Amino acid sequence: MDFSLSEEQRLLKETVDRLVRDQYGFEARQKAAGSEEGFSRATWATFAELGLLAVPFPEELGGLGGGGVDLMVVAEAFGRGLVVEPYLATVVLAGALVELAGSDDQKAHILGHIVAGEKLLAFAHGEPDGRYDLAHVATRAERSAGGWTLSGRKSVVISGDTADTLIVSARTAGATGDEAGIGLFLVAKGSAGLTVRGNPTIDGGRSAEVVLDGVAGEPLGEPGGAFPAIEAAVARGIAALCAEAVGAMEVACETTLDYLKTRKQFGRPIGSFQALQHRMVDMRTELEQARSMAILAAAKLSAGRVERERTVSAAKVTIGRAAHHVAEEAIQLHGGIAMTWEYALAHYAKRLVMIDHLLGDVDHHTERFIKLTDGAEAA
């Protein structure tokens, strides 16, 4: 398989790499993460100006027509910069749901606002008892005189506290755990009966706990058959997270290698000690294996459902294990300095740990891969 980038993808890579390198230094990132909203509106506007918010959407909907590899290019650069802007929540997850499940009018209207940087969205799906099961939806949607009302709870909604609109999954029929009978609903910020409580995460990001008590919701497309769109959108999110992890791992390796070259002990750089050289080689090996799986996951987003899902689960497992190894080794090889708040490496390690837990951890995706494989063989 040819993994080389096209000319357009190379230009995209140069653009986003330059942006992160020149305008997204560690101090700027920390200032944005520590602000009231947890990110920079000015940076978000720059993303819109450069077309980064349009990358994964079809050209007929105002996007750039990019595929999984284009998304990978952006996410990897964002991983190198530890970008805290809500790209995963708004563009990758919510944007995919609108593209895949929305009506023609909703696609044109909502995606237009996303591409222009005018609206922030978040996907409110996970529930307190659901773990990572995408079909676990206990939140109910009931028809009312005015349309639909939603009642239930959502947990760990990525960037949910700053979103202008939530895309909420709610059950229109069936029992909790059924794939059938799940709908998607648009809920505006400040709606009556909606409570959103924001929480900081260990990696400098933001999440929210959401309570819906008879909240009015507008159906996104036809309510009741949204599970395939949810699964496909989450697959896109996993591929983006895998690429982001590769970018963060790359910086962790580079930072560690520089430290080994400059830190001296017994009158010489500690990087000259063979035992530490072997550990550095192991880190690079894990990084390159993770990179290969991130590329494969990005390339398979357009494949059939089983192949796509098996691949993204395999990638999440491989990269989750590699990320843990790289983060732990980087901290150990640095020593105490790696645990200080002022040193960037600690924040890369925290982000790598968080990525493993977002959209399913290693254990979850190991089990899921086995189930998908057994199901494919039985068929």
Side-chain angles (χ1 to χ4, degrees), residues 97-120:
L97 291 171
V98 174
E99 177 191 338
L100 297 170
S103 66
D104 290 342
D105 287 344
Q106 287 172 329
K107 292 176 185 179
H109 178 70
I110 299 173
L111 293 183
H113 282 304
I114 291 177
V115 168
E118 298 168 347
K119 295 291 185 182
L120 301 176

Side-chain angles (χ1 to χ4, degrees), residues 123-141 150-154 167-185 212 224 226-227 230:
F123 181 30
H125 181 64
E127 298 185 350
D129 298 326
R131 294 291 293 167
Y132 301 118
D133 182 2
L134 293 182
H136 183 103
V137 176
T139 299
R140 305 296 303 189
L150 314 178
S151 297
R153 292 181 60 193
K154 300 292 182 178
I167 298 180
V168 180
S169 59
R171 187 164 294 284
T172 61
T176 301
D178 291 346
E179 293 183 2
I182 300 174
L184 295 171
F185 299 84
L212 305 110
F227 185 80
I230 292 172

Side-chain angles (χ1 to χ4, degrees), residues 200-253:
T201 54
I202 65 167
D203 58 338
R206 302 287 282 269
S207 69
E209 301 298 308
V210 176
V211 178
L212 305 110
D213 184 8
V215 178
E218 174 193 346
L220 182 65
E222 292 295 326
F227 185 80
I230 292 172
E231 195 174 55
V234 169
R236 194 179 294 186
I238 291 172
L241 284 172
C242 287
E244 184 187 345
V246 169
M249 290 166 64
E250 191 169 37
V251 174
C253 286

Side-chain angles (χ1 to χ4, degrees), residues 51 53-66 111 115:
L53 306 184
V55 166
F57 305 126
E59 293 181 9
E60 61 269 21
L61 296 175
L64 298 182
L111 293 183
V115 168

